[in-house]
Amino acid sequence: MGRSPTTKDDAQALFQSLRSAYAATPTNLKIIDLYVVFAVFTAVIQVVYMAVVGSFPFNSFLSGVLSCVGTAVLAVCLRIQVNKENKEFKDLPPERAFADFVLCNLVLHLVIMNFLG
Amino acid sequence: MKVSGDDCGFWQWGTGALETLAVVATMNKDDNVTPICFLVDEEMADSFSGENDMVMFSPCKKQSGRRLRTRTLDWCRMLERSQEPVSLRRPIKFAMARKLGFIVVLLAVTSIYEAVAIFHPISESHRSAALELFSPAVGSFSSLEEAYEALITFEVLGLKKPEIKDHTCNSVVDTLSSPSSNSKDLHHAFRVNGLLKCKISTGDLTGIVSRLKDAVKDATTLLDYYHSIGGLVLIKDQNPEVDVFLGNADGILRSIKALSQSDGRWRYSSNNPESSTYAAGLALETLSGVISLSATPVDENLIGTLKKDIVKLFDSIKKYDDGAYYFDDKLIDASGHQGPLSATSAVVRGLTTFASASGSLNIPEEKILGLARFLLGIGIPGNSKDLYYQIDALSCLENNRVSVPLVLSLPATVLSLTSKDKLKVKVNTVLGSAGPPLSVKLMQVFSSGSKDASVLKQELNYDPKEGIHTMDALPEGVDVGEYIFAFEIVLSDPEHKKIYATGGRTKVPIHVTGVVTVDNAKIALLEGDVLESEIKLDLPGKNDAAVSANHLQKLHLSFLLKTPLGKPFKPHQALLKLRHETGVEHIFVVGNSGKRFEMTLDFLGLVDKFYYLSGQYNIELSVGDAVMENSFLQALGYIELDLPKAPEKSTHPPPQPADPYLRYGPKAEINHIFRVPEKRPPQQLSFTFLGLVFVPFLAFLIGLLRLGVNLKNFPTSAVPATFAILFHGGIAAVLLLYVFFWWKLDLFTTLKALGVLGIFLMFSQPLLLRRLRHCHHHPFHFRSIIILELISYRIYKLRRVYISVYELWGSWIADFPGIIFVDLGLYCKRVYSKITQ
């Protein structure tokens, strides 16, 4: 019986430590995280729509979901490159990373637009 | 029936305009043929390729709006009436560059029996054809040659000459009196004069004779000799008082002989190496003319050599299966009148005149008869020239001194046992006149299909009034069926054997028809092997059998066929037809086991074939044969079938056209079947989700606000701000372009625009901005250099990409722009390294 509050507290403590740790994250990374969450949620809504209505027109559905997932993945890549603590990309200027992100997004969305029908 | 390529072909027949007559052989399994005559129009005739063509005709029916020529119709009717089996032979190739007035397609026919054929002597149909073919335009013929051909044909056929004497005689006299006319014109003029007996003064003739004699002296070609000698011979015949004799006949003979070839053929001139059979005929005629014009007896050795040449010429004779012989001529001259008919005709003419001038010739009578058969076998040629060749050659054969062919023909080769037809045989000369006293013997009767022959040697009774040899009763044992009768002509006077050619035995196909009786006809219904019920049938007659059966039962039909002599008879066709109410038909061949015809329909095995269609089926039986006078197609009654229900996968019966001609009617309209549209969700739901999609975006914006995002870092000074705006504007422009791409643009336009925007974006990107930010304290010109440096750095990078692509894919893009690109890249690298030092 006495365990439950302890577990609850532990969990709360865990979340709080996570939040405080995350609060230390630079703002530009937070923006990227927010963007990823936005993209993933948009994809989830489309998947739910497909589950409710059906997969027709399938190519449009795929375009929509892949657009979101693809841009989320690219955003994650951007985050890896922009993160200062990532020693691997220390020499890479963030402008360059952003330019790559933009270029990849443009290419991805050219394909998506072509596939959208 | 065996029809090979050689036997088939286009047959030209008769004259006329648009009608076309086709004789199509009906075939039966015993390879005998019966012609059926049809009228077809030219379009249909054109569609014949000659072989394996099946065309539907309406027999001897007048085509709408077209007048049928009498002769054609006569011929057509004659064929239909007589039902005679004839052997149609390979035609002469008339069609070459000839005026094709009238085409008859004869789908050819061969008989398996050698030399089994009937050749009818010249008859009325030839006379009507001559009248039609040689119809002079406006009172005269276009040339004397044509006039001669018409006149001689009319004379031989015993027709009244057309009223052209005055006009033609005028042109004869003109030709003879004109000093410019050559030996050819003179020759034709004398030919016409011989027939019309125009008034020519003897004084003119002397001059003409000397002109012709000069022409003989100066002659170099065969045709020069032919016309000049021919003219002289005609003058001698028409005016015996004029002296036309030649002094140096031997010399002329030798110079003509010099044109001959070793194979018995002749050349037209010494310059021309081509030899021709037609020329051989002309040469023989010319030589016989020289012999008759010779003042002194001609060298016997020379005549002996010429006779040997004729024998050699006969070595090259060709033969058809039916015993017809002919000469073929490969050489085609400009006039186009060189073919088997003209060559054969010329040789026959030359041969007979030579025989009359030089005495007997040793030609086998079989070949003489064969030539006559060839000429008669042509039938009625399609144009006047061919008719002339045919009739002229036949008249030469009729009156020759070698041997006169006698033609055995039968007025009817279909004999009915029911009406007790008598076997009648006629023996005529080729032109149809009566032969010498003779008797005809029926030597052998061959039954078709078997080689056995009964030897008879039975003589036929002669009826002098009608000139017909008759056999009152058919030989014993001759039942319905197809036979070959072998006749022999026996001349009463043994001396006649030297004059007439009878050709030994003549084999003639005979069809004997009769009434076939049907016995023991019955329909039985069996269950297993147990007889359920049996209905006797009266055939041929009216029957109304009614049977009902299910799929476990069997229907059994049996009958016996007997000929008038009581023998079992096997018809060509014995078919049973079951016809369902819906029009679906099933046809079964009734097989025979020995004498008995029977068949069993086991419905259990047939349910699938019957498409599981229960109900009433009408039963029809057809028994037919060419020699069966009472061939029948009769309804036997009906059978009520109770078949199991169709399983799902069974085939459906084919749709039955209400009218077979509907096949040619307009087809049903083809409707495009559109795909059924997919089911769409309700609009409200879709709009709800559209709204939901924007919720994360709103959350994203709110999140940004809560994070305290601002645009403070956005450059404020002029140049960087411009670059930043350009960069973001560029991205926005690309996205807008994508929207347009989705909306209306095609991929190519989009890519072109994207290329331009891409280059713009590349040079307005943040890396550039950062550089500028680092050197904002530098003077303006230095900043410009830095911008240049960055641009050259980009080009340098691109060059690297280009080189790696070049290494990967080889030389296909390593061309002029590529080289410039690489060089520019190298230059830029140099600039870049200079700046960064």
Side-chain angles (χ1 to χ4, degrees):
Chain A
M1 288 294 280
R3 258 188 188 185
S4 177
T6 320
T7 319
K8 205 178 172 184
D9 293 343
D10 285 351
Q12 275 178 352
L14 183 68
F15 277 116
Q16 272 183 356
S17 64
L18 271 176
R19 272 185 68 181
S20 55
Y22 187 73
T25 314
T27 313
N28 55 354
L29 293 191
K30 279 184 181 168
I31 294 171
I32 294 173
D33 289 338
L34 194 62
Y35 180 74
V36 171
V37 171
F38 150 65
V40 168
F41 269 94
T42 313
V44 167
I45 288 170
Q46 289 179 64
V47 170
V48 170
Y49 178 72
M50 189 209 75
V52 172
V53 166
S55 67
F56 176 83
F58 194 58
N59 56 329
S60 299
F61 161 71
L62 277 185
S63 303
V65 170
L66 290 181
S67 163
C68 297
V69 172
T71 195
V73 169
L74 290 174
V76 168
C77 293
L78 175 67
R79 193 187 191 278
I80 293 169
Q81 294 183 7
V82 171
N83 195 347
K84 290 266 180 341
E85 289 169 27
N86 237 340
K87 297 288 179 267
E88 201 184 331
F89 298 101
K90 203 175 66 179
D91 295 339
L92 197 84
E95 288 87 354
R96 166 74 195 279
F98 183 66
D100 286 349
F101 170 74
V102 169
L103 180 72
C104 289
N105 256 315
L106 291 182
V107 173
L108 171 73
H109 280 90
L110 177 68
V111 177
I112 296 281
M113 283 294 174
N114 194 28
F115 192 56
L116 190 61
Chain B
M1 185 171 101
K2 292 180 291 184
V3 178
S4 68
D6 278 351
D7 300 313
C8 299
F10 284 91
W11 289 60
Q12 191 184 349
W13 194 275
T15 62
L18 289 167
E19 320 87 79
T20 304
L21 180 70
V23 175
V24 180
T26 55
M27 301 150 234
N28 60 40
K29 62 187 172 194
D30 294 328
D31 293 303
N32 283 333
V33 291
T34 315
I36 296 180
C37 161
F38 300 96
L39 274 179
V40 294
D41 54 25
E42 278 186 336
E43 206 175 303
M44 201 184 271
D46 286 344
S47 69
F48 277 95
S49 65
E51 261 181 287
N52 304 326
D53 271 329
M54 299 288 285
V55 182
M56 297 292 288
F57 301 105
S58 50
C60 274
K61 209 170 75 181
K62 269 193 183 179
Q63 301 284 310
S64 57
R66 287 184 182 169
R67 193 174 60 82
L68 185 64
R69 301 266 166 156
T70 359
R71 190 178 51 70
T72 315
L73 190 60
D74 282 349
W75 195 80
C76 187
R77 282 185 184 143
M78 183 193 81
L79 269 175
E80 277 199 334
R81 205 170 39 235
S82 72
Q83 296 259 308
E84 254 176 305
V86 293
S87 173
L88 306 171
R89 290 180 300 104
R90 181 184 159 80
I92 310 239
K93 298 279 179 193
F94 284 122
M96 266 185 309
R98 218 49 84 67
K99 190 178 74 183
L100 283 173
F102 191 36
I103 295 173
V104 166
V105 183
L106 294 181
L107 282 195
V109 172
T110 53
S111 172
I112 47 166
Y113 305 107
E114 199 186 337
V116 179
I118 295 188
F119 298 97
H120 291 279
I122 293 299
S123 62
E124 281 308 314
S125 46
H126 276 86
R127 294 193 174 91
S128 55
L131 284 174
E132 204 166 297
L133 290 173
F134 289 110
S135 49
V138 204
S140 72
F141 289 99
S142 60
S143 67
L144 285 176
E145 186 180 358
E146 200 182 304
Y148 169 71
E149 285 169 2
L151 291 169
I152 190 75
T153 310
F154 279 38
E155 178 155 313
V156 171
L157 291 175
L159 292 167
K160 193 168 164 274
K161 285 170 195 156
E163 294 299 320
I164 53 159
K165 184 170 176 176
D166 294 345
H167 196 282
T168 315
C169 270
N170 283 344
S171 59
V172 167
V173 172
D174 286 350
T175 311
L176 294 182
S177 55
S178 158
S180 63
S181 38
N182 58 23
S183 54
K184 185 182 174 185
D185 300 333
L186 294 171
H187 184 203
H188 288 311
F190 281 116
R191 278 174 140 183
V192 174
N193 184 43
L195 295 166
L196 288 182
K197 310 276 186 299
C198 304
K199 284 170 191 158
I200 298 162
S201 65
T202 325
D204 285 349
L205 285 178
T206 335
I208 292 166
V209 167
S210 64
R211 263 162 67 194
L212 286 174
K213 279 186 179 174
D214 288 345
V216 172
K217 265 182 215 161
D218 302 337
T220 52
T221 69
L222 182 63
L223 287 175
D224 292 343
Y225 281 114
Y226 174 69
H227 290 302
S228 47
I229 302 278
L232 289 171
V233 171
L234 290 168
I235 293 172
K236 183 191 157 206
D237 292 347
Q238 289 161 22
N239 304 282
E241 69 278 4
V242 183
D243 173 35
V244 290
F245 289 102
L246 294 168
N248 60 338
D250 278 3
I252 299 167
L253 280 182
R254 284 201 175 82
S255 49
I256 298 173
K257 173 77 181 78
L259 294 172
S260 75
Q261 299 283 78
S262 59
D263 60 356
R265 292 191 287 180
W266 250 267
R267 291 171 294 165
Y268 282 107
S269 72
S270 50
N271 305 328
N272 185 0
E274 298 264 7
S275 59
S276 139
T277 317
Y278 185 80
L282 297 186
L284 288 176
E285 199 183 335
T286 316
L287 291 167
S288 54
V290 176
I291 293 168
S292 66
L293 290 174
S294 172
T296 52
V298 184
D299 185 2
E300 281 300 322
N301 290 336
L302 199 59
I303 290 180
T305 329
L306 289 171
K307 283 184 179 172
K308 276 181 199 160
D309 279 351
I310 292 174
V311 173
K312 276 185 215 153
L313 186 64
F314 269 79
D315 287 344
S316 69
I317 201 165
K318 291 185 177 167
K319 192 186 176 189
Y320 283 126
D321 280 349
D322 56 13
Y325 286 89
Y326 68 101
F327 291 96
D328 202 358
D329 215 346
K330 295 268 159 35
L331 186 67
I332 310 283
D333 73 357
S335 67
H337 284 300
Q338 301 283 44
L341 179 57
S342 61
T344 309
S345 175
V347 171
V348 166
R349 190 173 173 80
L351 181 77
T352 49
T353 45
F354 191 78
S356 59
S358 66
S360 66
L361 275 171
N362 192 20
I363 304 291
E365 67 170 39
E366 176 203 355
K367 288 189 179 169
I368 296 290
L369 194 67
L371 289 171
R373 283 180 164 170
F374 170 77
L375 292 165
L376 291 174
I378 288 163
I380 301 167
N383 61 53
S384 55
K385 199 88 181 168
D386 288 328
L387 183 64
Y388 158 70
Y389 283 133
Q390 184 193 31
I391 299 297
D392 185 47
L394 285 173
S395 89
C396 289
L397 284 176
E398 174 105 354
N399 309 307
N400 77 76
R401 284 180 57 187
V402 188
S403 57
V404 179
L406 290 178
V407 183
L408 183 142
S409 61
L410 275 76
T413 55
V414 179
L415 305 175
S416 166
L417 284 178
T418 319
S419 55
K420 297 207 168 77
D421 287 345
K422 290 172 183 175
L423 180 65
K424 291 175 181 173
V425 175
K426 271 177 155 179
V427 178
N428 298 101
T429 61
V430 285
L431 292 180
S433 51
L438 52 81
S439 59
V440 176
K441 277 183 179 172
L442 176 59
M443 302 302 287
Q444 275 176 306
V445 173
F446 299 86
S447 175
S448 72
S450 68
K451 286 182 179 174
D452 305 332
S454 46
V455 183
L456 295 164
K457 291 192 180 171
Q458 195 175 345
E459 192 173 321
L460 275 67
N461 302 326
Y462 183 59
D463 177 5
K465 259 190 208 165
E466 292 185 36
I468 290 176
H469 302 263
T470 321
M471 182 177 264
D472 291 331
L474 284 175
E476 208 174 303
V478 172
D479 206 343
V480 293
E482 287 135 26
Y483 296 91
I484 289 172
F485 284 20
F487 295 100
E488 201 168 282
I489 300 171
V490 183
L491 294 163
S492 310
D493 188 349
E495 281 299 306
H496 282 161
K497 279 187 184 170
K498 288 175 190 166
I499 305 172
Y500 292 100
T502 59
R505 285 191 187 179
T506 312
K507 289 181 179 174
V508 178
I510 301 280
H511 287 223
V512 181
T513 64
V515 173
V516 172
T517 50
V518 188
D519 285 344
N520 272 339
K522 59 192 172 192
I523 286 183
L525 196 64
L526 302 172
E527 180 139 13
D529 290 331
V530 186
L531 186 70
E532 289 267 305
S533 64
E534 191 176 270
I535 299 167
K536 295 217 163 174
L537 299 171
D538 175 27
L539 284 173
K542 211 176 179 191
N543 291 285
D544 199 9
V547 190
S548 63
N550 61 33
H551 66 284
L552 298 173
Q553 292 171 318
K554 295 172 185 171
L555 186 76
H556 183 83
L557 171 80
S558 64
F559 54 88
L560 280 173
L561 292 178
K562 273 189 201 162
T563 64
L565 295 192
K567 290 178 196 162
F569 179 72
K570 199 180 165 198
H572 293 152
Q573 286 188 352
L575 303 171
L576 181 72
K577 186 156 87 177
L578 290 187
R579 189 184 154 87
H580 189 248
E581 297 149 319
T582 54
V584 182
E585 288 183 347
H586 304 284
I587 296 175
F588 303 93
V589 179
V590 185
N592 68 325
S593 53
K595 295 175 185 177
R596 201 167 182 78
F597 278 81
E598 57 189 345
M599 80 169 310
T600 307
L601 295 181
D602 184 357
F603 294 118
L604 191 60
L606 290 170
V607 281
D608 198 42
K609 196 185 167 189
F610 279 24
Y611 308 109
Y612 298 90
L613 280 176
S614 297
Q616 187 173 314
Y617 284 82
N618 291 324
I619 311 173
E620 280 184 353
L621 177 68
S622 67
V623 177
D625 194 292
V627 296
M628 186 171 161
E629 287 175 7
N630 57 334
S631 299
F632 60 87
L633 163 63
Q634 268 168 357
L636 301 183
Y638 67 88
I639 180 165
E640 188 82 36
L641 273 183
D642 181 19
L643 300 180
K645 277 191 181 171
E648 276 182 16
K649 284 181 181 175
S650 67
T651 50
H652 292 285
Q656 298 298 313
D659 181 359
Y661 290 104
L662 277 184
R663 271 201 302 162
Y664 307 108
K667 296 265 183 259
E669 195 179 332
I670 297 171
N671 287 311
H672 189 82
I673 301 166
F674 293 96
R675 203 168 65 181
V676 183
E678 294 279 339
K679 215 177 137 190
R680 292 298 183 97
Q683 265 192 343
Q684 288 169 334
L685 184 69
S686 295
F687 281 126
T688 312
F689 271 88
L690 181 67
L692 274 180
V693 165
F694 285 107
V695 169
F697 182 66
L698 280 176
F700 173 64
L701 291 181
I702 293 167
L704 286 180
L705 286 178
R706 284 194 61 183
L707 283 173
V709 174
N710 53 47
L711 295 172
K712 277 177 193 162
N713 270 349
F714 199 82
T716 44
S717 55
V719 176
T722 313
F723 270 90
I725 289 166
L726 281 180
F727 178 65
H728 289 287
I731 294 173
V734 171
L735 291 177
L736 189 67
L737 178 69
Y738 284 177
V739 172
F740 274 104
F741 173 45
W742 176 67
W743 189 19
K744 53 158 76 164
L745 295 179
D746 63 0
L747 184 63
F748 298 103
T749 327
T750 311
L751 285 179
K752 268 183 251 171
L754 191 61
V756 175
L757 283 174
I759 291 167
F760 172 73
L761 265 185
M762 195 173 74
F763 294 119
S764 61
Q765 57 166 292
L767 198 64
L768 196 69
L769 304 184
R770 198 178 68 157
R771 285 268 170 193
L772 290 173
R773 202 162 58 226
H774 281 306
C775 57
H776 65 271
H777 54 275
H778 291 301
F780 180 75
H781 71 274
F782 193 73
R783 273 182 262 166
S784 310
I785 288 174
I786 286 174
I787 291 168
L788 257 179
E789 172 258 306
L790 280 167
I791 290 169
S792 59
Y793 174 73
R794 281 288 141 192
I795 292 176
Y796 170 67
K797 281 289 176 70
L798 276 176
R799 175 188 156 271
R800 289 295 300 275
V801 172
Y802 175 78
I803 288 173
S804 55
V805 167
Y806 173 72
E807 280 165 0
L808 262 180
W809 290 322
S811 65
W812 68 274
I813 43 171
D815 44 16
F816 180 68
I819 290 161
I820 292 179
F821 199 36
V822 170
D823 290 348
L824 190 67
L826 282 173
Y827 172 75
C828 293
K829 192 194 173 192
R830 242 178 280 145
V831 173
Y832 176 66
S833 47
K834 217 178 226 176
I835 295 169
T836 47
Q837 269 172 7

